[in-house]
Amino acid sequence: GPTPNRNGEVIGSCGPTTSSRMDKFTPLLYKSGISVTIGKGERSKEVIEAIKKYKGAYLMTWGGCGAYLRKFVKESSVLAFPEFGAEAVRELVVQDFPAVVAIDSCGRTIF
């Protein structure tokens, strides 16, 4: 859930969004080559199966601290849907980003 960047910042606030809202689209993302997604909350059975099939992972971070999380984003580039502004699909280069593996490539989940 990024916000527009200001004053030459790499990105604005970038807290996680509730991932289940994107569950119907997520298997296609993994099929298309995305290896890791980041969000908050549980994922559907279909997402877990896609993570297993495509050897991906789902990372979870804490909601409500997007202004803090932006400090770990070193680069941000738009990959798709630039017309969506802050909600475009982005590739982020992060360093020491605080997240936990919520679903691993074998489908094991912390939920």
Side-chain angles (χ1 to χ4, degrees):
T3 61
N5 58 327
R6 293 182 273 174
N7 303 327
E9 296 173 338
V10 174
I11 197 166
S13 179
C14 64
T17 190
T18 303
S19 298
S20 61
R21 294 184 311 122
M22 298 300 290
D23 277 0
K24 65 182 175 182
F25 307 107
T26 304
L28 179 59
L29 291 174
Y30 284 106
K31 181 180 180 182
S32 298
I34 298 291
S35 56
V36 175
T37 57
I38 302 173
K40 67 180 181 185
E42 294 185 53
R43 305 309 301 263
S44 69
K45 178 182 173 188
E46 292 79 16
V47 170
I48 294 170
E49 289 303 315
I51 289 169
K52 286 170 46 178
K53 181 176 182 177
Y54 299 106
K55 300 296 181 201
Y58 168 59
L59 305 180
M60 192 174 77
T61 192
W62 296 265
C65 57
Y68 172 70
L69 293 172
R70 75 175 174 81
K71 297 176 182 182
F72 301 96
V73 179
K74 303 304 175 193
E75 296 176 34
S76 173
S77 57
V78 174
L79 297 179
F81 308 109
E83 65 273 20
F84 291 171
E87 295 294 325
V89 175
R90 297 173 178 272
E91 176 181 33
L92 302 179
V93 175
V94 299
Q95 182 177 352
D96 300 324
F97 194 87
V100 297
V101 177
I103 304 171
D104 70 11
S105 63
C106 297
R108 294 176 292 213
T109 175
I110 64 172
F111 299 107

